[in-house]
Amino acid sequence: MDDPTLSNQRNQSVPSTPSLNVPTTMSDSSFHLENLPSRTMHINRMINSSYNRSPSRTIYSDRFIPSRSGSNFALFDISNSPTSTEGKEDGSGTYNTLLRAALFGPDTPDKKDSLDATACRNIFRYKTETKRSLHSLSPFGLDDSVLGISHTPVKAPRKVPRSPYKVLDAPALQDDFYLNLVDWSSNNVLAVGLGNCVYLWNACSSKVTKLCDLGIDDSVCSVSWAQRGTHLAVGTSDGEVEIWDASRCQRVRTMEGHRLRVGALAWSSSLLSSGSRDKSILQRDIRAPDDFASKLSGHKSEVCGLKWSYDNRELASGGNDNKLFVWNQHSTQPVLKYCEHAAAVKAIAWSPHLHGLLASGGGTADRCIRFWNTTTNTHLSCMDTGSQVCNLVWSKNVNELVSTHGYSQNQIIVWRYPTMSKLATLTGHTYRVLYLAISPDGQTIVTGAGDETLRFWNVFPSPKSQNTDSEIGASSCGRTTIR
C-alpha cells in the first residue's frame, strides 16, 4: 500500500522559495534566511570581504609540492639577522640562519627582491618538483656551499710531461733494429754500448765512466745488467759474451759458444741467456766453469728479443722469423709458439702485475702489440700502433706500459692497460727509437735512437704518490755528452 505522505509530496508543486527539511513539529518559516538578519550579515561579510584571494594559476602536477620561494618569513617568526634589535647576540641566530637557508635556499639580492615583492602572496603554491644535486650531502638537498661544506675535487687525469728532462749525446750509437745497447741497473747506473766501447753513466752523480774497449775489430751488440749486484754482460759481434764487474771496471770472464753476433741478453738470477744471429739461444750459469749449460733451438732466423718472466720460470724469445717462443727452465724446445706477428719480434715485456701476461711487438710489416696469457696459452688482444714496434716495457708502479717506435713516426707511447688508451705520445727523436730502459724506481725511462741521443722522460708515477718526482728526474736539466 502506498504511503500517503509520499503521495502528497508527489502531488505538490516545486516551491518558489527555498525551504528547509525540518521536523514537522517545528515551523519551517522560522528557518528562512530573511528571518536571520545577524547570520545574513555575517555571510555577506565573508562573501564581499576585501580579503586577497589567490590568483588562478596553472597546476603543473597532481601532487601537492610546495614552493617556498614566495614565502613570507614574518609568518615563521624567523629574523633576517642573527642579532636582535637591541644589538645583543641571539644565541639561536646561527640556527635560524641555517634553518632559513635549508627551508628557503641561500639569500641572494635577486631572491630578496623577489621575496619583498611577493610578501603578500600565499605561502604555498603548486609547482613541479625541484631538481636537486645528486652529490649534495645536505638532508635538505641544498648545495654544500650553503652550509660551508667543501669537498676534495675530482682528481684530474695524470699528466705526462711531453718533453725530456735530460738529453745526452751518444756518438756512434748504432741505428740497428736487432741490437740492444742500453740497460739501467738496480744501482741506478746506465750502461750504453757506443761502437766498440761500453760507457757507464751514474744517474745520481751524472758521472761518466768508460768500462771497456773491445778493440777496432770488434763491436758491442748488447748489454744487460744482472738483476742484483754490479755485473754487466756484454755481447759482441764476434759471438762472445763478456762478464764485467762495473764496481772495479774489470772483466770477470769471457764465454764462447755462438758463431755470430750476440744481439740479445737476459738474466735470471745467476743464469744468463744469450741470443745470436746463429739462430740459437745459450743458457749459461756464470758460476759453472762451462761456457754454457744448454742450447735452445727453434728459431729460423736471428734471435733479437729475450726476456725472463718476473718469477724466473719462463723465457720469452723473439726472432727475425716473426715468431714468439716461450721456454721453461728445463726445456730445449719451445713449450709455446706464437706465429701471429707478420714481422720481426724484438719488443717483448712480461707484466709485473699479472702472472703469465706477456706483451710482444712486431716490426715494420706488422706494427702490432699483442698480448698473450701463457698460463692458458691464449691470445688476448691486438693493438695496431701504425708504426714499427721497437721496444716494450711495463711499469711496476701502475698497470701501464711504454712502447717505442720506428718507421714512420719515431714516437714513444704511454698506454693504459687493459683498455690500451693512450696516456701520452712523446716525440723528439728524429730516427727510430731503437733502445729503451727503465729506472730502478720505475718512474723514468731512457730512450736511444740513431740520431745519437739518449733522452730521459718522466712517464710513470711513484708507487706512493702520482705527483712525486723521482730523484733522477729532479737532477739538473740540459744537454751533455756520455763520453
Side-chain angles (χ1 to χ4, degrees), residues 25-248:
T25 57
M26 299 180 66
S27 174
D28 180 68
S29 60
S30 63
F31 286 92
H32 285 297
L33 292 178
E34 55 270 20
N35 297 328
L36 301 175
S38 60
R39 293 196 178 191
T40 302
M41 292 176 62
H42 177 69
I43 294 174
N44 290 338
R45 203 166 46 243
M46 293 179 63
I47 295 176
N48 301 322
S49 65
S50 58
Y51 293 169
N52 291 329
R53 303 180 186 179
S54 299
S56 176
R57 300 181 181 87
T58 303
I59 297 177
Y60 298 99
S61 173
D62 59 349
R63 298 174 56 199
F64 181 72
I65 303 177
S67 171
R68 300 181 178 88
S69 61
S71 302
N72 188 352
F73 295 148
L75 298 179
F76 291 89
D77 195 23
I78 298 179
S79 62
N80 292 328
S81 174
T83 59
S84 61
T85 56
E86 289 80 5
K88 298 181 180 180
E89 184 178 355
D90 187 0
S92 62
T94 303
Y95 171 77
N96 287 339
T97 301
L98 294 177
L99 178 60
R100 184 172 61 256
L103 291 175
F104 310 113
D107 290 337
T108 61
D110 294 340
K111 190 167 183 178
K112 289 180 180 179
D113 295 341
S114 175
L115 292 175
D116 293 340
T118 59
C120 61
R121 299 170 61 186
N122 286 354
I123 297 176
F124 301 116
R125 57 176 294 193
Y126 286 49
K127 188 180 179 183
T128 53
E129 188 171 354
T130 304
K131 294 183 179 180
R132 296 178 178 177
S133 171
L134 294 177
H135 303 285
S136 175
L137 298 180
S138 170
F140 302 102
L142 296 176
D143 292 337
D144 295 334
S145 59
V146 174
L147 302 180
I149 301 174
S150 61
H151 298 281
T152 302
V154 178
K155 184 178 292 185
R158 179 169 56 87
K159 293 182 179 180
V160 179
R162 295 304 197 268
S163 301
Y165 70 84
K166 179 180 282 292
V167 179
L168 296 178
D169 287 324
L173 185 61
Q174 297 188 56
D175 184 26
D176 192 329
F177 177 80
Y178 301 98
L179 306 185
N180 294 274
L181 298 176
V182 178
D183 197 24
W184 209 325
S185 76
S186 60
N187 294 323
N188 212 8
V189 178
L190 188 70
V192 185
L194 300 177
N196 53 7
C197 300
V198 175
Y199 290 87
L200 306 179
W201 180 76
N202 190 305
C204 297
S205 63
S206 296
K207 181 182 178 180
V208 178
T209 305
K210 184 178 179 180
L211 179 65
C212 66
D213 189 338
L214 302 181
I216 194 171
D217 296 328
D218 204 353
S219 63
V220 180
C221 295
S222 57
V223 294
S224 181
W225 288 99
Q227 294 168 331
R228 296 179 180 85
T230 59
H231 285 171
L232 177 71
V234 179
T236 71
S237 59
D238 288 341
E240 296 178 344
V241 176
E242 298 183 357
I243 307 298
W244 287 78
D245 185 350
S247 62
R248 298 180 298 166

Side-chain angles (χ1 to χ4, degrees), residues 279-298:
K279 311 172 188 177
S280 66
I281 301 172
L282 297 181
Q283 305 281 53
R284 311 171 186 269
D285 190 339
I286 62 172
R287 301 168 300 180
D290 298 333
D291 284 339
F292 61 92
S294 61
K295 182 177 182 178
L296 311 183
S297 301

Side-chain angles (χ1 to χ4, degrees), residues 429-478:
H429 285 290
T430 56
Y431 280 66
R432 297 180 296 174
V433 189
L434 298 176
Y435 311 111
L436 172 67
I438 189 168
S439 63
D441 64 4
Q443 300 181 61
T444 303
I445 62 169
V446 58
T447 57
D451 57 11
E452 298 185 345
T453 63
L454 297 173
R455 298 173 184 264
F456 295 79
W457 316 77
N458 284 320
V459 295
F460 294 129
S462 66
K464 298 180 180 180
S465 173
Q466 295 191 5
N467 297 322
T468 302
D469 294 333
S470 66
E471 294 180 359
I472 302 167
S475 61
S476 61
C477 299

